Amino acid sequence: MKTILEVKGLKTHFFLSRGIVRAVDDVSFTLASGETLAIVGESGCGKSVTAFSIMRLVAPPGRTVAGEVFFEGSDLLLLSEEKMRGIRGNRISMIFQEPMTSLNPVFRIGEQIAEGLRLHLGLTDSEANEQTIRMLELVGIPSPAARYRDYPHQLSGGMRQRVIIAMALACRPDLVIADEPTTALDVTIQAQILELMDRLKTERDMGLILITHDLGVVAERAHRIAIMYAGRIVESADTAEIFRNPLHPYTEGLLASLPQRTQPGMPLQTIPGHVPSLLGDLPGCGFCDRCPRKSWECKTQAPELREVGKGHMVRCWKYS
């Protein structure tokens, strides 16, 4: 498999009146064609901001201040906005968390998909309409020719999410970023959406970045996992390796809190303490105050992400 995306030292900060929020602070990873990389972490850890930074969709007061994002050899952060518009939605697509805020409520769903086909692929109106109906059929929308003329509010949450997936895949992208693609959907619909994405990814040999906090989904769907905490990736490895041999104390805590790892009749395990504020500089390890095995180095110096086994990276002084 060839590498299609390489992120190096990505930093995205938000410049507020009360100070600088370091939402993404030195994030690096790679993605190959046909591979699923899951970025996992609790709310506010920087997962979505990482995705928006790759797509160059971070709005003021946010700004990407450092790093490189190589997509098939070109640094996306250095491209003109015109060239980036040619890539965004065409070569790289994003599936957003909430379909009702991603779809324009005053336009029919078919027109919203067809617009991208005309813009990026130069199709005529009739060609774009025909391809749109095929995409709606591909993602499992019943009676696609009739649904083409529906407005978003006329569809269920699961159907709207399928429309978003159809829109993201219409131009046959090489990379798809799915940001919590099954949020607020019931369990049955979640499984259908994830199976659909898996099938289309395999058929089209595209890379997939799956952003989630659901470790159950990750265990079944991802080839590799990157664990994020306080704006940084603290551990990454093959999925099986992460579940079999977690090294970072935060990863250990996440896995220990899974219900299936809790003895019957015992309370669920939790990670004590609180997530640190990202406002201002973190002088040491962001997990230091919650870590059961912290040392003096943890409070004063931030550890680097190091390889401690084949493909197994961890950001912890214990392994430095």
Side-chain angles (χ1 to χ4, degrees):
M1 295 187 295
K2 70 172 184 175
T3 298
I4 59 172
L5 182 72
E6 185 175 10
V7 177
K8 295 182 177 181
L10 184 66
K11 295 185 179 184
T12 297
H13 298 168
F14 287 80
F15 297 85
L16 309 180
S17 58
R18 63 182 186 275
I20 300 174
V21 175
R22 290 167 167 79
V24 175
D25 195 16
D26 192 22
V27 165
S28 301
F29 61 85
T30 61
L31 179 74
S33 59
E35 182 183 36
T36 298
L37 170 69
I39 300 181
V40 178
E42 56 200 283
S43 297
C45 72
K47 306 186 301 295
S48 295
V49 178
T50 298
F52 276 76
S53 300
I54 293 170
M55 298 290 289
R56 281 187 37 190
L57 292 174
V58 177
R63 188 167 78 245
T64 298
V65 297
E68 299 168 310
V69 180
F70 288 102
F71 174 67
E72 296 188 337
S74 298
D75 187 351
L76 299 181
L77 302 183
L78 299 180
L79 297 182
S80 66
E81 182 55 33
E82 182 181 0
K83 288 185 177 179
M84 192 62 203
R85 280 197 300 267
I87 291 175
R88 192 188 298 126
N90 181 19
R91 307 290 307 286
I92 305 176
S93 291
M94 187 165 176
I95 300 170
F96 297 92
Q97 283 190 36
E98 176 46 60
M100 272 308 283
T101 59
S102 305
L103 294 170
N104 192 318
V106 301
F107 287 97
R108 303 180 192 274
I109 61 167
E111 177 56 31
Q112 294 187 56
I113 298 172
E115 180 184 19
L117 292 167
R118 291 194 296 267
L119 176 65
H120 292 299
L121 302 185
L123 301 187
T124 64
D125 287 348
S126 60
E127 290 171 338
N129 293 348
E130 185 179 329
Q131 178 66 11
T132 296
I133 292 172
R134 280 201 296 266
M135 288 304 303
L136 291 174
E137 183 177 17
L138 182 67
V139 299
I141 300 287
S143 306
R147 290 293 193 180
Y148 180 101
R149 298 185 58 78
D150 282 354
Y151 290 94
H153 73 270
Q154 295 176 279
L155 304 178
S156 67
M159 289 294 109
R160 287 195 294 265
Q161 195 68 331
R162 290 171 187 267
V163 171
I164 291 293
I165 293 173
M167 188 181 300
L169 300 180
C171 295
R172 304 185 69 89
D174 300 297
L175 168 62
V176 171
I177 303 172
D179 187 5
E180 302 278 7
T182 57
T183 296
L185 301 180
D186 64 59
V187 176
T188 303
I189 300 300
Q190 281 186 30
Q192 292 175 0
I193 294 295
L194 291 168
E195 287 170 8
L196 169 66
M197 291 173 58
D198 267 356
R199 177 170 59 82
L200 295 176
K201 176 184 70 70
T202 301
E203 289 175 359
R204 300 188 174 202
D205 194 35
M206 64 187 187
L208 174 64
I209 296 176
L210 178 61
I211 296 173
T212 183
H213 59 268
D214 190 331
L215 286 168
V217 167
V218 168
E220 295 181 359
R221 309 287 173 181
H223 297 97
R224 290 190 297 123
I225 302 176
I227 306 289
M228 280 196 76
Y229 184 82
R232 298 167 179 164
I233 290 178
V234 296
E235 186 169 2
S236 66
D238 291 343
T239 300
E241 174 70 8
I242 287 284
F243 278 85
R244 180 177 60 247
N245 183 33
L247 299 181
H248 196 279
Y250 178 62
T251 309
E252 292 175 352
L254 284 181
L255 295 178
S257 68
L258 291 174
Q260 55 267 41
R261 297 200 176 193
T262 303
Q263 295 294 325
M266 299 297 291
L268 290 175
Q269 292 196 41
T270 60
I271 302 174
H274 302 281
V275 179
S277 170
L278 299 183
L279 184 64
D281 192 19
L282 288 174
C285 173
F287 193 65
C288 175
D289 291 341
R290 308 175 74 183
C291 183
R293 52 178 193 253
K294 57 180 174 285
S295 65
W296 67 270
E297 291 175 309
C298 304
K299 293 186 176 182
T300 58
Q301 302 178 60
E304 295 181 359
L305 192 65
R306 295 177 180 270
E307 186 171 23
V308 296
K310 186 177 181 180
H312 198 152
M313 311 289 289
V314 64
R315 190 188 296 271
C316 179
W317 280 113
K318 180 181 176 182
Y319 303 98
S320 296

